[in-house]
Amino acid sequence: MTKGDLEAVRAKDAAHYLHPFTDFKALEAAGSRIIVRGEGVYIFDAEGNRILDGMSGLWNVALGYGRRELADAAYRQMMTLPFYNSFFQTSNIPAARLAAELASIAPPQMSRVFFANSGSEGNDTIVRAVRRYWELLGQPQRDVIIGRHNGYHGSTMAGASLGGMAGMHAQGGLPIPNIVHIEQPYFYELGGDLTEDEFGIKAAGWLEEKILAVGVDRVAAFIGEPVQGAGGVIIPPRTYWPEIQRICDAYGVLLISDEVICGFGRLGTWFGCQHFGVRPDFITFAKAVTSGYFPLGGVIVSDRVSEVLIESGGEFNHGYTNSGHPVGCAIALENLRIMKDEKILENVSNVLGPHLAARFHALADHPLVGVTETLGMVAGLVLMSEKQKKLAFDPTLEVGMICRRHCFEQGVVMRAVGDRMIIAPPLVMTTREIDDMIGVIRRCLDLTLQELTAMGAF
Ligand code: PXG
């Protein structure tokens, strides 16, 4: 790409493209970095810089870039049947096969799948299915869904309402009615003098308190991410999810495991709920189901719920043009085949996860780093002003953004969530590439420290 071509693209981007979750004015002034190509675990920008993608795109490019098998699967399906709908007693081969495949890797007693195009649409589907379920059981007043502060469940009206992002609720009159939130299980910030195990039980107890406050006969479901992703890789204590399960069982509350980030090997299991030993009624999936090669999402439903929906005999008035899109489903089937053939889950559990943990935890000795946490192929650290005293930086300094800028300039994508720095590398990264990535991250921590020192902020 010539310099002139690049400038023309930048100008079009600035003049016409409204980016997601973006301060439009600030971006127009700064200009976008144009990504043109991907290969393995690297992306390349228009100026020819090679950048190690520590975020797998946006948590989704699990198998990395440039996988010919996935492109071939798309091409074959497009030439055979690029689209047909699943509305009027019709189906297609990839959708039927993928539904069966997803049922086979999901926890037992989850054998049916509803397809959407994204995680947000999956969660919207769940809100409607949960409320219909209770209506069909003669309890229409049971319509309250409990989510968590700092949870992320998407950007549609229902998705943003289920999530607990204050900035999202502040725009557009959210949350929608009958969605309430409890505090997140963030041990480092909220653990106080408790042990991690004690804190896990306490944090799960907030759900029980909320159920009792709302009224047992009103609470329909609880939704959570096994590990909070967009909230900053918040890994709950191991006691948390089993206690959540116990509470949901005790009060007959449906459990929704939003696996949009944790699904498909991210934690070393097909789904995060399997790592934590939870039996959900709904699993939301998206992102890595196609390794990001096609937008596809949906919901895996437990038999006890789907049987009520089926036995009612009435129509579920819900669906999308592209529910069960044959191309997306064909790519997903190929993606899952590769994950099995290349033993991606085993590799994450036995090799890559432990390697990442060892290397990432070594960063804890850095003067800026308050704590390091990892599980499978996700990791997070907190930048602290005085780590011994657990003193955070003044938020107006935007220390996370300073560190993120250094990472990008030094050739690695690392995300900042406030002052938490997080990574979720492709599941095909080698141990050597992990070592390289950690080396760059340490250098960026040093550069951040230098910059803060020069500003007189450290
Ligand atoms: N649930 C979870 C747990 C997610 O992480 C969604 C639902 C919504 O999926 P869609 O496909 O509608 O985007 C997500 C999406 C970030 C970031 O900055 C994370 C997501 C999306 C955009 C940005 O970490 N997760």
Side-chain angles (χ1 to χ4, degrees), residues 58-59 118-120 123 152-154 225 230 258 260-261 286-287 415:
L58 206 44
W59 315 86
S118 65
S120 301
N123 284 326
Y152 189 80
H153 301 295
E225 305 150 78
D258 184 336
V260 168
I261 281 175
K287 292 194 188 277
R415 242 171 73 45

Side-chain angles (χ1 to χ4, degrees), residues 341-362:
D341 285 1
E342 295 186 2
K343 301 205 175 341
I344 298 289
L345 272 56
E346 293 85 340
N347 205 28
V348 168
S349 291
N350 303 329
V351 182
L352 298 178
H355 190 84
L356 178 68
R359 293 292 184 273
F360 199 82
H361 287 313

Side-chain angles (χ1 to χ4, degrees), residues 301-323:
V301 187
S302 71
D303 293 345
R304 74 166 174 168
V305 171
S306 61
E307 273 155 22
V308 170
L309 301 180
I310 292 163
E311 286 311 313
S312 74
E315 183 168 321
F316 182 38
N317 298 317
H318 178 78
Y320 308 102
T321 302
N322 292 317
S323 288

Side-chain angles (χ1 to χ4, degrees), residues 255-308:
L255 204 165
I256 306 160
S257 190
D258 184 336
E259 304 269 358
V260 168
I261 281 175
C262 295
F264 309 105
R266 180 59 56 197
L267 306 184
T269 45
W270 283 115
F271 297 101
C273 59
Q274 293 158 328
H275 172 84
F276 288 108
V278 178
R279 302 178 310 280
D281 292 287
F282 294 91
I283 285 176
T284 325
F285 67 89
K287 292 194 188 277
V289 66
T290 60
S291 277
Y293 282 60
F294 199 88
L296 175 70
V299 184
I300 312 176
V301 187
S302 71
D303 293 345
R304 74 166 174 168
V305 171
S306 61
E307 273 155 22
V308 170

